[in-house]
Amino acid sequence: MINTGNLDDYIRRLRLGERAALAQAMTLAESSLPQHQELSARLLDSIMPYTGHAKRLGVTGTPGAGKSTFLEALGEELLSQGHKVAVIAVDPSSPVSGGSILGDKTRMLNLSRAEHAFVRPVPSRGHLGGISQSTRELILLCEAAGYDIVIVETVGVGQSETEVAAMVDCFLSLQIAGAGDDLQGIKKGIMEMADFIVINKDDGENHINVDIARHMYHSALNIIRRKYPTWQPRVLTCSALEKRGIREVWQAIQTFWPVMAQSGQLARLRQQQNMGWVRHQIEANALIALFSHPEVREHYQQIENLLQQNQISPRAGISAVTDFITQQIIN
């Protein structure tokens, strides 16, 4: 395990691309134990000069869209072109037990065994937006370890999958056709965030359904306001199972970075992402510190008791706690 005495050695090994060192660094970054926070911060500070050079790709999609199959096929294509590929696969955590299956390594077996690939399943731990709290740090660690393409696979459980767009360059939404009302896939939040819509399972008798869905998505993209003035989102099709169309999908995705870089949008995007993440973390840390304050905790407990007895409304309870914090703590 990483400690103060061997931190420099782990950083050296991480920079050399040792997968064991990367895995242990990720475990440290994911830890919520207070004794690991300072060490994790030192680790991340040390690797910052070696980050920011990879292409960051986010992949979302409804359950059953074939995300793992698609990512394994895409990863193998990237490896064949000489890339080093890291996949951060976020699994939903159980709201009952808090556990996660973390089965992405078994679904991407060939990719996880490849020498120049790294697959890391991580639990969402209740974090919304389809990602985990530590996803950003894991991306940085992968970049410092020399992976030039980092892919984040989201939970894929609904319309809240847009937070991943705030930490990657390119956002891909994987869809399927013929599994119900295709219009249900055209959700404004996802559509506005997606740089590519890829319709998977374009094989067998499903080809006609895929073609219909492609036209529907294409029409929808034409009437939705663009995320970037210089980039028009595209609709692509493939069969991940048959590994057909995967190379064409990657060729199309590659055109995204030159367009964004030449317009200056890529640099601005990453700056905005960094500042947004800092603000988000400050707010989260401030909230934790606030509710750790003895007076706030005591007042909140009183309001909670009144709520349980139906003596005040939830809105009144919120106002009471907020006013107390403003008057007694902040002022």
Side-chain angles (χ1 to χ4, degrees):
M1 183 63 185
I2 302 176
N3 55 52
T4 304
N6 62 20
L7 178 62
D8 290 339
D9 183 56
Y10 266 95
I11 293 171
R12 179 188 63 81
R13 290 169 53 195
L14 174 70
R15 292 286 297 120
L16 291 173
E18 288 189 23
R19 295 204 292 184
L22 174 57
Q24 293 199 41
M26 286 182 162
T27 299
L28 178 66
E30 289 181 290
S31 175
S32 58
L33 295 176
Q35 61 266 35
H36 291 160
Q37 299 303 303
E38 182 180 352
L39 190 61
S40 178
R42 286 177 55 192
L43 169 65
L44 292 166
D45 286 345
S46 299
I47 64 156
M48 284 306 295
Y50 312 110
T51 65
H53 306 297
K55 293 177 178 177
R56 303 171 183 174
L57 175 65
V59 177
T60 189
T62 55
K67 292 192 300 296
S68 297
T69 306
F70 172 78
L71 286 176
E72 175 152 78
L74 178 62
E76 290 177 347
E77 174 62 30
L78 295 174
L79 291 176
S80 72
Q81 296 183 22
H83 294 288
K84 288 190 68 178
V85 184
V87 178
I88 300 168
V90 184
D91 263 6
S93 296
S94 168
V96 178
S97 67
S100 296
I101 296 175
L102 301 179
D104 290 274
K105 277 197 169 184
T106 60
R107 293 196 296 266
M108 292 183 268
L109 195 58
N110 293 333
L111 192 62
S112 62
R113 290 173 173 174
E115 181 181 357
H116 296 297
F118 184 88
V119 179
R120 175 75 175 199
V122 297
S124 64
R125 292 177 180 169
H127 189 79
L128 300 179
I131 58 167
S132 75
Q133 185 72 18
S134 58
T135 303
R136 288 172 175 85
E137 284 83 0
L138 302 188
I139 291 173
L140 297 176
L141 289 168
C142 290
E143 291 180 340
Y147 291 91
D148 62 322
I149 298 176
V150 181
I151 302 173
V152 180
E153 178 197 3
T154 73
V155 168
V157 290
Q159 296 181 56
S160 65
E161 302 297 288
T162 55
E163 191 173 336
V164 69
M167 64 181 69
V168 297
D169 309 322
C170 185
F171 183 43
L172 184 152
S173 177
L174 195 68
Q175 300 292 333
I176 52 174
D181 186 355
D182 290 324
L183 285 173
Q184 287 300 311
I186 305 178
K187 305 296 187 180
K188 192 172 182 183
I190 294 292
M191 293 292 287
E192 285 184 334
M193 290 292 101
D195 301 302
F196 290 92
I197 302 288
V198 177
I199 306 171
N200 190 22
K201 303 188 179 181
D202 184 8
D203 41 49
E205 297 179 356
N206 202 37
H207 178 72
I208 295 176
N209 292 326
V210 169
D211 197 46
I212 293 171
R214 182 176 62 83
H215 284 290
M216 292 174 63
Y217 282 113
H218 182 74
S219 298
L221 287 174
N222 284 333
I223 62 174
I224 291 177
R225 188 177 65 176
R226 294 186 188 182
K227 184 168 62 168
Y228 308 117
T230 55
W231 179 257
Q232 173 61 49
R234 298 178 58 183
V235 183
L236 309 167
T237 66
C238 71
S239 170
L241 185 64
E242 297 179 357
K243 299 184 179 179
R244 182 166 39 80
I246 299 298
R247 176 167 296 180
E248 289 74 15
V249 167
W250 176 242
Q251 288 173 345
I253 293 173
Q254 283 189 97
T255 64
F256 176 84
W257 279 278
V259 171
M260 294 289 285
Q262 289 169 12
S263 67
Q265 184 64 54
L266 185 60
R268 289 193 297 271
L269 174 63
R270 291 206 172 181
Q271 289 172 357
Q272 291 168 1
Q273 289 176 348
N274 287 337
M275 295 309 299
W277 173 238
V278 169
R279 182 179 178 87
H280 173 80
Q281 280 302 107
I282 289 174
E283 291 174 350
N285 293 346
L287 195 62
I288 293 171
L290 214 68
F291 276 87
S292 298
H293 194 284
E295 292 182 23
V296 173
R297 195 164 58 243
E298 181 181 352
H299 186 73
Y300 177 73
Q301 185 61 57
Q302 293 172 2
I303 298 300
E304 194 176 60
N305 291 337
L306 292 175
L307 286 167
Q308 290 173 351
Q309 297 166 19
N310 288 327
Q311 294 185 24
I312 59 172
S313 68
R315 179 178 292 187
I318 293 169
S319 297
V321 174
T322 304
D323 292 344
F324 177 82
I325 290 172
T326 303
Q327 295 169 10
Q328 303 296 324
I329 306 300
I330 299 178
N331 292 337

